Amino acid sequence: MKSAALFARASKSLVGGVNSPVRAFKSVGGTPVFVKSGAGPHFTSFEGKRYIDFVGSWGPLIFGHARREIVQAASRALDLGSTFGAATVAEVELAEELKEAFPSMDLVRLTSSGTEAVMSALRVARAYTKRDLVIKFAGCYHGHADSLLVAAGSGALTLGAPDSAGVPAAWAKTTITLPYNNLEAVAKAFKKFHGKIAAVIVEPFVGNMGVVLPHDGFLEGLRALTKKNKSLLIFDEVITGFRLCYGGAQTITRIKPDLTTMGKIIGGGLPMGAYGGRKDIMSLVAPLGPVYQAGTLSGNPVAVAAGLATLRLLRKEKPYARLQQITDYLLRGIGEAIEDTRAQVQINSAGSMFTLFFCGGPICDLTMAKRADTKKYAKFFQRMLAQGIYFPPAQFEAAFVSYAHDKKDLDKTIKAARVALRGL
Ligand SMILES: *Cc1c(COP(=O)(O)O)cnc(C)c1O
């Protein structure tokens, strides 16, 4: 009742009552939760109900909410002045950390969001290759830059069409959208648009159509095709960067992209993005080169302090083995509940990110993901929410396990899933 009233009030001043669309619960129905505070794996709504959180602000919170070292680092930085619009030492330290994690990067630029990082990386790729076209994959999300809000054109291998109102058709035509995991389509596009493709951008492990894994050879094939055609390969590691391991998908797969985009975890819960790559490419960015890109709050001291504290904690606590272990434990439990209830659910997972698709498997691209029954997901979501478990309020999203979740949280979640899955 109270939250319904608050949502009505919010909707009078904020567009749709929220500041980012998925928060509005449109695809699951009901009233969005308004959060008051978070601690570890939990947050508390303004009504005082506690939830076990499997969204983690959509990826950044690998240590859960309000981890002490991160909070302290950010507040210490804030005490010393919130922003200068001038160089600071901590930015250098963060850039050095990022380079150490990603040996493919010689030079780095910090931004305030993942969207900005991706938008800028594409500008650099176009400048470097002196070409206009970019290949992306259906279901991969790279932020809301105009030339990326593009759906596949009608018919195979056509230039794209706007996927949002307000995107000029001419800009959408600079993007070719292909099915993920389909190397043959990429090879054909390179043939058809020979000498015109600046870059291929990919989420190496996808989080944004729900979790979808690359087939053996897919990323290797992208590397080979881009190299052969003198295009750049851009790994969008905004989610995967420090989620799958320290150094992201490129460390796991040993594939060296030309450019990498980052965000989420590297800001420790504050606004942050970054892009980087080979020296000859990144040297095109101002002030070294002719590609203009800037930001009043880029490399903001408070965000940098939180990001640095997070990366240092990741190196110190090496959470990845435990994250894998507890995620396996959770998914084994949910898997048994799926079997026992005979619900038709396919679990996809990578490290500590996972998605329960409400359909049969396997799910390897957007067409397969779209078979999922979103009404069933909505029902599952609401039943979990009622039991104090906060899953992503949309089917085509990743859920995240944090280092702060413990066995009690996971057992409670498994038990709740057993109830929520009944009859689905
Ligand atoms: C979240 C995300 C972005 C956009 O980052 P914002 O900080 O939301 O602008 C870009 N790429 C991927 C893969 C993402 O998950």
Side-chain angles (χ1 to χ4, degrees), residues 124-137:
V124 176
R126 285 173 164 136
Y128 182 81
T129 57
K130 301 192 167 63
R131 301 171 179 178
D132 286 345
L133 301 184
V134 167
I135 291 177
K136 74 176 277 270
F137 297 96

Side-chain angles (χ1 to χ4, degrees), residues 287-340:
L288 290 182
V291 175
Y292 191 70
Q293 188 266 313
T296 304
L297 292 179
S298 292
N300 172 263
V302 184
V304 165
L308 254 182
T310 304
L311 298 192
R312 284 174 178 161
L313 267 179
L314 286 172
R315 273 204 285 113
K316 185 168 144 227
E317 304 208 346
K318 300 185 173 50
Y320 298 103
R322 180 173 176 272
L323 275 169
Q324 183 73 60
Q325 203 184 351
I326 62 177
T327 308
D328 287 347
Y329 178 82
L330 174 69
L331 296 182
R332 209 176 314 125
I334 294 178
E336 283 164 14
I338 290 168
E339 252 173 55
D340 294 346

Side-chain angles (χ1 to χ4, degrees), residues 353-366:
M353 50 199 270
F354 68 91
T355 299
L356 309 181
F357 287 101
F358 279 71
C359 61
I363 290 159
C364 316
D365 64 22
L366 186 63

Side-chain angles (χ1 to χ4, degrees), residues 258-407:
D258 301 295
L259 289 168
T260 301
T261 54
M262 289 156 288
K264 301 203 166 113
I265 288 174
I266 67 164
L270 276 83
M272 173 92 77
Y275 66 104
R278 263 179 21 223
K279 190 173 177 179
D280 60 323
I281 303 169
M282 289 300 290
S283 299
L284 290 177
V285 179
L288 290 182
V291 175
Y292 191 70
Q293 188 266 313
T296 304
L297 292 179
S298 292
N300 172 263
V302 184
V304 165
L308 254 182
T310 304
L311 298 192
R312 284 174 178 161
L313 267 179
L314 286 172
R315 273 204 285 113
K316 185 168 144 227
E317 304 208 346
K318 300 185 173 50
Y320 298 103
R322 180 173 176 272
L323 275 169
Q324 183 73 60
Q325 203 184 351
I326 62 177
T327 308
D328 287 347
Y329 178 82
L330 174 69
L331 296 182
R332 209 176 314 125
I334 294 178
E336 283 164 14
I338 290 168
E339 252 173 55
D340 294 346
T341 56
R342 303 220 167 97
Q344 215 191 34
V345 177
Q346 164 75 23
I347 303 179
N348 275 13
S349 72
S352 55
M353 50 199 270
F354 68 91
T355 299
L356 309 181
F357 287 101
F358 279 71
C359 61
I363 290 159
C364 316
D365 64 22
L366 186 63
T367 308
M368 296 181 199
K370 287 278 174 167
R371 290 196 311 241
D373 187 329
T374 53
K375 287 205 181 77
K376 280 189 181 170
Y377 182 82
K379 221 171 243 174
F380 172 77
F381 167 84
Q382 293 293 356
R383 289 172 180 175
M384 293 299 272
L385 194 69
Q387 297 176 87
I389 320 278
Y390 192 78
F391 262 51
Q395 166 71 91
F396 305 110
E397 299 286 356
F400 296 96
V401 180
S402 84
Y403 195 55
H405 286 95
D406 65 16
K407 190 165 172 295

